[in-house]
């Protein structure tokens, strides 16, 4: 784990990249920010978490770090020890955890539950959507208080790395650590009039098949009877209306993604 501190005093804000070693966008954003040598107004801690998995180009070495929190400093598994170390490093910081996905090129935010930090920060991030995952957060870093995740874009892409940088800059501006960035990046850093909030309700299981395909688009309503995916020659149709979230053909081993409800907006 690489840890970098900016400013004087105990860090109050933290940014974490490379929870997963096959998602390099967060590490690239951290290094780009360090190269810019910013003059922070609050002390900030920048962390490249699973450096060993990142160097190996794999998601994890022994266990999924984002299912291992709060961790165990005496565990045999590398990621379980790392989870405990990482929580010690972020302490009471307001924290941004950067990820990427196989389901969406557009960035979005993920929270455990709607708290004052999410309400205050999310409208200032360059995202149009927040996903509330309180029923599906066991072992994830967002269970830690005052922590938000962002999915920066498609895994391994230059676009995700660029998005991750501007998400980081916007987060640090929203938390008072840096002045607001300009809008000269691939993702603008302005506030939003309203950010849509979706709450995960259930998983969408993936039947065994040789090939998979998805037809529906994330965050767009699927109507009753509509085919939203296929497992081999079998089409899956909706039994009731829902909003698909994190829907992808091969992003998960045993599920297509999630059923979600649109529950409101943050303004």
């Amino acid at each position: 784990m690489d840890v970098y501190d900016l400013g004087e005093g105990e860090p109050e804000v933290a940014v974490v990249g490379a929870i997963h070693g096959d998602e390099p966008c967060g590490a690239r954003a951290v290094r780009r920010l360090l190269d810019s040598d910013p003059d922070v107004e609050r002390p900030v801690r920048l962390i490249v978490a699973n450096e060993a998995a990142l160097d190996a180009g794999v998601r994890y070495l022994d266990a999924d770090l984002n299912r291992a929190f709060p961790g165990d400093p005496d565990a045999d598994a590398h990621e379980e020890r790392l989870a405990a170390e990482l929580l010690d490093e972020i302490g009471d910081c307001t924290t941004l955890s950067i990820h990427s996905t196989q389901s969406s090129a557009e960035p979005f935010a993920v929270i455990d539950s709607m708290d004052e930090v999410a309400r205050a920060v999310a409208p200032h991030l360059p995202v149009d959507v927040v996903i509330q995952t309180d029923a599906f957060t066991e072992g994830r870093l967002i269970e830690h208080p005052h922590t938000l995740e962002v999915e920066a874009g498609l895994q391994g892409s230059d676009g995700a790395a660029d998005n991750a940088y501007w998400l980081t800059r916007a987060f640090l501006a929203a938390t008072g650590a840096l002045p607001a960035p300009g809008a000269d990046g691939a993702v603008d850093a302005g506030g939003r009039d309203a950010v849509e909030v979706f709450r995960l309700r259930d998983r969408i299981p993936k039947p065994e098949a040789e090939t998979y395909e998805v037809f529906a688009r994330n965050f767009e309503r699927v109507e009753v009877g509509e085919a939203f995916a296929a497992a081999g020659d079998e089409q899956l149709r909706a039994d009731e209306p829902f909003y698909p979230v994190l829907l992808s053909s091969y992003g998960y081993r045993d599920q297509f993604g999630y059923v979600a409800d649109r529950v409101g907006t943050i303004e």
Side-chain angles (χ1 to χ4, degrees):
M1 179 166 54
D2 284 342
V3 180
Y4 309 91
D5 287 348
L6 304 177
E8 300 294 329
E10 186 68 20
E12 300 170 352
V13 179
V15 177
V16 180
I19 289 281
H20 294 133
D22 59 353
E23 299 176 8
C25 61
R28 290 175 64 181
V30 165
R31 288 162 184 155
R32 182 174 170 183
L33 186 67
L34 289 169
D35 287 345
S36 72
D37 193 23
D39 185 14
V40 296
E41 298 173 8
R42 296 176 68 187
V44 175
R45 178 158 288 171
L46 305 174
I47 300 174
V48 177
N50 201 345
E51 185 185 13
L54 182 67
D55 289 344
V58 297
R59 189 169 183 81
Y60 53 80
L61 300 185
D62 299 319
D64 189 333
L65 178 55
N66 211 30
R67 301 296 185 272
F69 293 98
D72 180 352
D74 300 316
D76 292 332
H78 164 71
E79 280 81 9
E80 291 182 16
R81 298 192 304 272
L82 185 58
E85 295 171 15
L86 180 55
L87 287 185
D88 284 343
E89 292 291 348
I90 63 176
D92 295 326
C93 289
T94 300
T95 301
L96 180 73
S97 178
I98 304 172
H99 293 260
S100 55
T101 177
Q102 295 188 34
S103 65
S104 176
E106 297 301 318
F108 56 88
V110 183
I111 60 173
D112 177 18
S113 57
M114 190 62 65
D115 62 11
E116 66 275 12
V117 172
R119 290 187 179 280
V121 172
H124 298 282
L125 300 180
V127 300
D128 294 316
V129 171
V130 171
I131 301 171
Q132 185 175 336
T133 65
D134 49 354
F136 302 93
T137 54
E138 185 175 357
R140 293 175 63 163
L141 183 57
I142 51 173
E143 287 188 308
H144 190 66
H146 310 318
T147 299
L148 294 85
E149 284 184 5
V150 287
E151 297 283 356
L154 293 175
Q155 186 175 325
S157 68
D158 289 339
D162 201 38
N163 291 349
Y165 173 75
W166 290 107
L167 285 158
T168 298
R169 285 291 308 271
F171 170 76
L172 294 176
T175 52
L178 282 178
D184 55 347
V187 176
D188 76 89
R192 297 292 191 268
D193 291 333
V195 180
E196 290 188 293
V197 181
F198 294 83
R199 186 178 185 184
L200 300 189
R201 173 159 45 95
D202 205 354
R203 294 181 173 89
I204 303 173
K206 180 189 286 185
E208 288 191 16
E210 293 293 326
T211 60
Y212 299 99
E213 188 175 2
V214 298
F215 311 130
R217 294 174 61 87
N218 285 292
F219 312 117
E220 293 186 7
R221 181 180 166 101
V222 174
E223 302 296 343
V224 173
E226 183 179 345
F228 60 86
D233 295 331
E234 177 190 358
Q235 289 193 344
L236 281 67
R237 296 183 179 274
D239 295 327
E240 58 182 341
F242 75 96
Y243 290 90
V245 169
L246 293 170
L247 191 70
S248 66
S249 299
Y250 298 101
Y252 299 97
R253 181 180 59 82
D254 57 357
Q255 67 185 74
F256 278 106
Y258 293 90
V259 171
D261 299 313
R262 186 179 181 279
V263 296
T265 60
I266 306 174
E267 300 182 1

